Amino acid sequence: IIQPDDRTSRVAFNKTAYSGFVVENAGIVQNIVQVKATALGTGCEATLRYKFASQTEDFEFSVNETNGDVSSRNVTFDRELRATHAFAVIAENNCTGDYKRFDYTSVIVHVNDTNDEHPTFSRAEYNMQVQEEEVGEVIGRVTAVDRDEG
């Protein structure tokens, strides 16, 4: 029996990290990025399968197990609640036991902002007084906040 070693059987991603983006409030499946790994070896060693390192049932993303395409599920993203998502993807060969090889990479997904937030004043009401003779004088200051970027 010939045991594989790192020179004859190996799985490795082309990058240590990938990044992409989704658009806020789109509510559709969005293609994000394709992760790509290579495998050395023959037979079960040469065939790769992609999967998430961990995920819950309501995870917002999916990965195509044969080609590494990462996409969003049919969900709505809100940048004001969460601007980035990060997770790990694993590429593994189809072997078992001593022949099993894998590697992992990070994926960072940025949520691109849309202008969906209205500016809000920091106070509900401002009271200021002005004298008739005070022309060109500052009589007060109001402030507003917009949670959108830009």
Side-chain angles (χ1 to χ4, degrees), residues 6 34 68 103 135:
D6 286 341
Q34 183 181 39
D103 192 18
V135 176

PDB file of all heavy atoms in Angstrom, residues 6 34 68 103 135:
ATOM      1  N   ASP A   6       2.295  14.907   0.876  1.00  0.00           N
ATOM      2  CA  ASP A   6       1.971  16.233   0.362  1.00  0.00           C
ATOM      3  C   ASP A   6       2.522  16.484  -1.038  1.00  0.00           C
ATOM      4  O   ASP A   6       2.137  17.428  -1.693  1.00  0.00           O
ATOM      5  CB  ASP A   6       2.471  17.309   1.320  1.00  0.00           C
ATOM      6  CG  ASP A   6       1.590  17.390   2.562  1.00  0.00           C
ATOM      7  OD1 ASP A   6       0.455  16.894   2.505  1.00  0.00           O
ATOM      8  OD2 ASP A   6       2.053  17.932   3.575  1.00  0.00           O
ATOM      9  N   GLN A  34     -16.203  33.253  -7.093  1.00  0.00           N
ATOM     10  CA  GLN A  34     -15.906  31.828  -7.260  1.00  0.00           C
ATOM     11  C   GLN A  34     -14.594  31.538  -6.544  1.00  0.00           C
ATOM     12  O   GLN A  34     -13.573  32.147  -6.841  1.00  0.00           O
ATOM     13  CB  GLN A  34     -15.797  31.427  -8.730  1.00  0.00           C
ATOM     14  CG  GLN A  34     -15.561  29.934  -8.901  1.00  0.00           C
ATOM     15  CD  GLN A  34     -15.414  29.515 -10.348  1.00  0.00           C
ATOM     16  OE1 GLN A  34     -14.802  30.214 -11.156  1.00  0.00           O
ATOM     17  NE2 GLN A  34     -15.981  28.370 -10.684  1.00  0.00           N
ATOM     18  N   GLY A  68     -17.445  25.767  -6.890  1.00  0.00           N
ATOM     19  CA  GLY A  68     -17.010  26.779  -5.935  1.00  0.00           C
ATOM     20  C   GLY A  68     -17.676  28.133  -6.063  1.00  0.00           C
ATOM     21  O   GLY A  68     -17.241  29.086  -5.420  1.00  0.00           O
ATOM     22  N   ASP A 103      -8.390  21.783   2.225  1.00  0.00           N
ATOM     23  CA  ASP A 103      -7.833  23.097   2.528  1.00  0.00           C
ATOM     24  C   ASP A 103      -9.024  24.017   2.749  1.00  0.00           C
ATOM     25  O   ASP A 103     -10.157  23.686   2.393  1.00  0.00           O
ATOM     26  CB  ASP A 103      -6.961  23.600   1.369  1.00  0.00           C
ATOM     27  CG  ASP A 103      -6.122  24.834   1.749  1.00  0.00           C
ATOM     28  OD1 ASP A 103      -5.951  25.094   2.952  1.00  0.00           O
ATOM     29  OD2 ASP A 103      -5.633  25.515   0.821  1.00  0.00           O
ATOM     30  N   VAL A 135     -28.886  90.784  12.535  1.00  0.00           N
ATOM     31  CA  VAL A 135     -28.822  90.374  11.138  1.00  0.00           C
ATOM     32  C   VAL A 135     -27.479  89.678  10.899  1.00  0.00           C
ATOM     33  O   VAL A 135     -26.430  90.179  11.297  1.00  0.00           O
ATOM     34  CB  VAL A 135     -28.974  91.598  10.201  1.00  0.00           C
ATOM     35  CG1 VAL A 135     -28.818  91.182   8.747  1.00  0.00           C
ATOM     36  CG2 VAL A 135     -30.298  92.292  10.443  1.00  0.00           C
TER      37      VAL A 135
END
